[in-house]
Structures are given as C-alpha cells and as structure tokens.
Amino acid sequence: MAAILEIQRLAKHSWNQDNRESPYLFEEVSAVIQQPECISVIGPSGQGKSTLLRTLALLDMPDQGDISYAGISYREKDPRLWRKEICYVAQQAVMLPGSVEDNLGTASRLHGEVYDVQLAEQLLEETLLAGLDRKKNASELSGGEKQRIALIRSLLLRPAVLLLDEVTASLDNISARAVEHMLQQWQAREGTTMIWVTHDLEQAARTSSRTWFMSGGTLLEDQQTIDFFRQPATEAGRQFVRFLASEAAL
C-alpha cells in the first residue's frame, strides 16, 4: 500500500483566541494514511473531530503543520483540485438550489466531469432511495434523504479520499446499515480511502480497520481497530469506551 495522505504536526486554533491555557482546538496531529484504508475517528465532543476533517479537505486552513496528498503539500496544489480528490461529506447536508437530479449532477459538472446517471441510479438503489422522485425539489427532502444525496453527490466525483462526518447520524438502523454496506462495496471496487467520524462504537468496529481516538486536544491514540477496542492504550481511551458501552446498555 502507498501513502495517500501524510499529516505532520497539524494544529488548528481554538475559536476562543483569548484562552491562553488552550489556544488550540487540536495540535500535534500526525499520521500516515495508506490507500485504501478505512479509519474511524472517535472521541468526546469538543475535540475537533469535524474540524480535523474539514482541515484535511482545506475547507478550514491549517494554522500549523502540513498535509501532503500523494507526496504534494497542500501549499503547492490548487484547493479546488485538492477538494475534488479529498471530499468532505458533512453531517448536516447542504442541498443546492433545484431538484434532486440537479444536486446529484452539479458537483460533477462544476469539476468538468461527466454526470454518470447510471452510477447515480445504482447508488440510489444501494442506499434505499431507488423510489425517490429525482425531479423533487431537494429542499423538500428529509434529513436522512439529504444526507444520502450529499454522500452520493461526492461519490460521483470518485475521490481518492472520502471524509465522512457522521453521515449516518440521521438515518434509521436499516438505512444506516445499507449506507455502510454500500461504502464497503465502493471501497472494494474503487480503492477509496475513508476517514469516518462516528459516535457509534459498533459502527466503528464494523467498518474500520484503524481507529483514531482524539482527546486532550490531540490525536491521542492511533491503533488497529481490533487492538483499540480490545485494550485502549490510554486511560482516557479506556474511560471513553467504558462510558459509551454503559450508555449503549441502558
């Protein structure tokens, strides 16, 4: 496997610049990501997990450190081309003006790609949206439908790296498992690397081979998923897993 992303001592300032004790939302984040990998990102709220993904996609710019894609620093690459290869899918999906069909095709057209209608239909079926009226105004979709349309819109670009920010959070269990299965099949076919923020430990265990645990304002643990869930290396990691396991048991 070849390295697709390299993160070197990445840092992002906290929104509260007056907080001298903790000026960074996260700092000293370093990792080497191979292709293809599926990495789950877990940790308590407020650790910057979503901001980390947005920074990797250059939607937020790093305050310190470097990110390299295929050996090229983000400083040397057109951000538009970077975002075509490294796509971020937000938890709160943003629909563009127009119909469902307009939304599915817009990203492809903006990047000068042919809109693959057949692939769009296949992905709609795999995410349990085969019966959705594609002429419907996208603003009228439910939250779960918007989430899946936004995901498919990004997949149609065939990115090398897919950054997933709790993309099944608003889905029922059946739809969420359908999306998981579709993404696993997609990765097998396309070789896409996926970095997936989730608060669902069972989902992380099912879908990822590697787990990042963010705590204390940094990437505290980077382990193979099976090893992390068997025995986190830090006390913070052990407490986090015990807490979520107890919550799930209630």
Side-chain angles (χ1 to χ4, degrees):
M1 293 189 295
I4 189 72
L5 275 182
E6 294 187 51
I7 307 169
Q8 299 174 341
R9 306 189 70 179
L10 201 66
K12 188 66 185 171
H13 285 146
S14 169
W15 64 270
N16 184 1
Q17 294 297 295
D18 296 327
N19 186 353
R20 295 184 178 181
E21 292 184 3
S22 182
Y24 293 102
L25 179 60
F26 60 77
E27 61 181 326
E28 295 294 332
V29 172
S30 297
V32 176
I33 298 100
Q34 310 293 334
Q35 189 175 23
E37 281 196 274
C38 187
I39 301 170
S40 60
V41 186
I42 63 174
S45 297
Q47 296 300 312
K49 300 183 294 296
S50 295
T51 303
L52 175 60
L53 294 198
R54 288 180 56 84
T55 304
L56 295 179
L58 299 187
L59 296 171
D60 293 331
M61 299 305 290
D63 291 313
Q64 289 184 16
D66 196 12
I67 313 165
S68 296
Y69 166 66
I72 300 174
S73 170
Y74 78 92
R75 298 181 178 90
E76 302 171 23
K77 198 170 179 71
D78 182 338
R80 187 180 68 87
L81 297 178
W82 181 280
R83 294 179 194 125
K84 179 177 179 293
E85 296 292 337
I86 304 173
C87 279
Y88 171 76
V89 185
Q91 179 182 356
Q92 300 297 329
V94 176
M95 291 291 99
L96 304 170
S99 68
V100 172
E101 192 81 73
D102 292 333
N103 269 265
L104 289 171
T106 295
S108 299
R109 288 190 289 269
L110 286 175
H111 287 282
E113 301 287 339
V114 175
Y115 170 43
D116 191 335
V117 178
Q118 185 175 356
L119 178 57
E121 290 176 349
Q122 175 188 332
L123 295 175
L124 286 167
E125 182 175 354
E126 291 178 358
T127 55
L128 308 184
L129 292 176
L132 185 66
D133 180 3
R134 298 205 295 275
K135 295 180 181 178
K136 185 176 183 178
N137 193 309
S139 65
E140 299 174 1
L141 299 176
S142 70
E145 289 170 337
K146 289 178 180 178
Q147 210 165 33
R148 282 173 281 176
I149 292 299
L151 173 60
I152 293 170
R153 186 172 61 196
S154 291
L155 287 173
L156 290 171
L157 293 174
R158 287 190 159 92
V161 180
L162 194 60
L163 307 172
L164 304 167
D165 194 354
E166 296 193 65
V167 294
T168 62
S170 65
L171 303 182
D172 60 79
N173 287 337
I174 293 174
S175 297
R177 291 299 290 267
V179 168
E180 287 179 18
H181 181 71
M182 180 274 289
L183 287 170
Q184 289 170 328
Q185 294 295 107
W186 179 271
Q187 184 181 42
R189 292 195 305 267
E190 301 286 330
T192 307
T193 290
M194 299 182 186
I195 304 177
W196 191 335
V197 169
T198 179
H199 285 286
D200 184 340
L201 294 189
E202 292 185 359
Q203 183 177 70
R206 281 195 304 269
T207 60
S208 67
S209 57
R210 181 175 170 187
T211 293
W212 290 354
F213 173 63
M214 293 189 71
S215 185
T218 193
L219 176 54
L220 194 61
E221 296 196 42
D222 179 357
Q223 291 202 60
Q224 294 298 302
T225 295
I226 191 171
D227 295 330
F228 177 83
F229 284 107
R230 181 183 293 128
Q231 184 61 50
T234 64
E235 181 58 27
R238 290 189 287 272
Q239 289 181 1
F240 179 76
V241 170
R242 282 198 299 267
F243 173 75
L244 285 191
S246 66
E247 288 285 297
L250 294 178

